[in-house]
Amino acid sequence: MSISTFYLKFSCFIFFIGISYTISAQSVSTNPCKDVWVATDSKILMFSPEPGEVIKPILVPVNGSLNPDIEWTWTPSLGMVDAQGNDGTHLLHPFFDVQKLGDLGGNAFTTTFYITGRNAKTGCNTFSSIDVIILARVKPYDAITPNGDDLNDYWAIDNISSYPEATITVIDRWGVPVFEGSGETYEEKPFRGKLDGKLLPTGVYMYRIKPNADYPDVVGSLTIIR
């Protein structure tokens, strides 16, 4: 046998061993549950309905296997509906209808919803979760009349107590802060049109409220009337 013939046979031998190993490795790594999966966005953000306000259901941001053998279940189920407003507890792509939670009175609401999937034929399971964060609207009044008559003597901010970590800043026309407070203490220490105990002049002031990381800044103007 020549040297060239030897190397040719040896190379073919290694080549077929490689094919055999690859096929064997693939057969060992086959996962019967690879088609059972689900994933969701981390959260849904929305405002709490005011009394009498109607908010349309929103599609839940979720993706998952389309294998028809998988049975899906949402827990808790309250608020999960189909496109017609019927029970959507066992849908992969339901809508969330905040109206199903009843009258929230504009208050904040947060819960975690879990979706689980199970393929009874293979016994494979999967799950994911999504936080539904319903924000109470921060509603600052636009004027105060701090004259000591107990009517509008301080700046009212509806629902600010729902955001204890909120920061509240009021500035004058030159951009100088005349008030800085927090949501945690605002109801006890509201802005009364004073700076260091002295009355601020009549005029228009600007404010910025940062409720929390999920809520966009609330900015606007506040008028002091004397």
Side-chain angles (χ1 to χ4, degrees):
M1 179 186 300
S2 66
I3 294 178
S4 59
T5 302
F6 172 81
Y7 277 113
L8 177 60
K9 291 184 177 181
F10 182 78
S11 299
C12 291
F13 176 74
I14 295 298
F15 176 76
F16 284 113
I17 287 180
I19 292 178
S20 176
Y21 174 79
T22 301
I23 294 173
S24 176
Q26 289 178 344
S27 63
V28 170
S29 63
T30 298
N31 181 2
C33 295
K34 67 179 181 179
D35 192 36
V36 181
W37 63 276
V38 67
T40 64
D41 283 1
S42 61
K43 58 191 173 184
I44 294 175
L45 291 174
M46 62 191 310
F47 284 109
S48 179
E50 298 291 327
E53 180 183 10
V54 177
I55 297 179
K56 293 182 179 180
I58 59 175
L59 185 64
V60 179
V62 60
N63 196 11
S65 172
L66 298 180
N67 187 334
D69 293 330
I70 300 174
E71 179 182 353
W72 301 103
T73 302
W74 284 93
T75 306
S77 60
L78 189 62
M80 294 298 176
V81 299
D82 63 14
Q84 288 73 43
N86 301 314
D87 178 36
T89 305
H90 298 292
L91 297 179
L92 174 60
H93 299 115
F95 290 79
F96 178 73
D97 186 358
V98 67
Q99 311 287 163
K100 296 293 185 180
L101 303 184
D103 184 9
L104 297 179
N107 295 314
F109 173 87
T110 301
T111 193
T112 300
F113 287 79
Y114 294 89
I115 180 172
T116 58
R118 182 175 186 276
N119 186 331
K121 292 182 178 180
T122 61
C124 297
N125 298 276
T126 187
F127 80 94
S128 188
S129 65
I130 186 169
D131 291 331
V132 174
I133 302 173
I134 302 174
L135 303 168
R137 287 183 176 90
V138 173
K139 296 183 291 185
Y141 286 38
D142 57 9
I144 58 174
T145 58
N147 54 16
D149 65 356
D150 292 330
L151 295 175
N152 300 316
D153 277 344
Y154 67 90
W155 185 33
I157 307 175
D158 289 349
N159 294 323
I160 194 61
S161 61
S162 296
Y163 305 95
E165 67 270 45
T167 59
I168 306 160
T169 305
V170 180
I171 62 174
D172 63 17
R173 69 178 72 179
W174 296 282
V176 178
V178 296
F179 176 82
E180 293 179 320
S182 72
E184 184 176 19
T185 61
Y186 189 78
E187 290 188 348
E188 291 77 25
K189 300 177 181 179
F191 178 52
R192 295 182 177 276
K194 298 180 180 181
L195 176 61
D196 298 329
K198 299 180 180 180
L199 297 178
L200 289 166
T202 295
V204 178
Y205 297 76
M206 302 300 296
Y207 63 80
R208 181 182 297 275
I209 303 172
K210 296 176 176 289
N212 62 24
D214 293 319
Y215 200 125
D217 292 1
V218 180
V219 298
S221 63
L222 168 67
T223 303
I224 297 178
I225 304 171
R226 297 190 186 282

